[in-house]
Amino acid sequence: MNFETYQLDKRLDSFNYQQAQADILPILERGSNVVLDMTACRYISSAGLRVLLYSKKVAASKGLKLFLVGISEEVKDIMDVTGFNTFFEAFSTLEECLEKMKE
């Protein structure tokens, strides 16, 4: 399974969501699965959640996958409260994600 990793900033919010979306969509257009490295991300707003959901929908429409890696406790709490945690395959480490991809 081919994939590309995209590193999120400390925040994914109304100030940078457009750039994140503009960076993720070309990866999907190239036919690669996306691994979002969220280890640095400590806050995600509703705009950031929309980026994740839209990217997942685009990936699914192309027969691709979007994986989340290294979700911080702060972001995990937000995703749990909003129910977004049920939409994504998430892993603690990149190694765990890569193992899953081999299956």
Side-chain angles (χ1 to χ4, degrees):
M1 173 184 291
N2 72 330
F3 72 94
E4 292 183 46
T5 302
Y6 180 76
Q7 174 86 41
L8 290 178
D9 291 331
K10 286 184 175 184
R11 300 174 61 90
L12 182 56
D13 55 23
S14 59
F15 295 106
N16 65 354
Y17 80 94
Q18 290 175 319
Q19 185 61 55
Q21 190 73 77
D23 292 342
I24 295 167
L25 289 179
I27 296 171
L28 295 168
E29 291 299 324
R30 289 191 290 271
S32 290
N33 297 286
V34 176
V35 175
L36 287 181
D37 183 345
M38 300 180 70
T39 53
C41 188
R42 295 291 177 252
Y43 174 76
I44 189 166
S45 71
S46 60
L49 291 172
R50 283 192 304 273
V51 168
L52 297 183
L53 189 58
Y54 182 70
S55 298
K56 180 174 174 52
K57 286 182 177 182
V58 171
S61 74
K62 297 178 175 301
L64 300 169
K65 297 213 178 225
L66 178 103
F67 301 101
L68 307 182
V69 171
I71 300 173
S72 69
E73 284 301 316
E74 298 91 344
V75 172
K76 185 180 181 311
D77 289 344
I78 293 167
M79 292 182 75
D80 288 346
V81 168
T82 59
F84 271 66
N85 59 331
T86 62
F87 301 140
F88 299 95
E89 285 190 76
F91 302 91
S92 297
T93 65
L94 181 58
E95 291 75 25
E96 284 180 20
C97 184
L98 294 176
E99 283 299 315
K100 173 67 176 180
M101 283 189 220
K102 290 178 184 176
E103 295 177 0

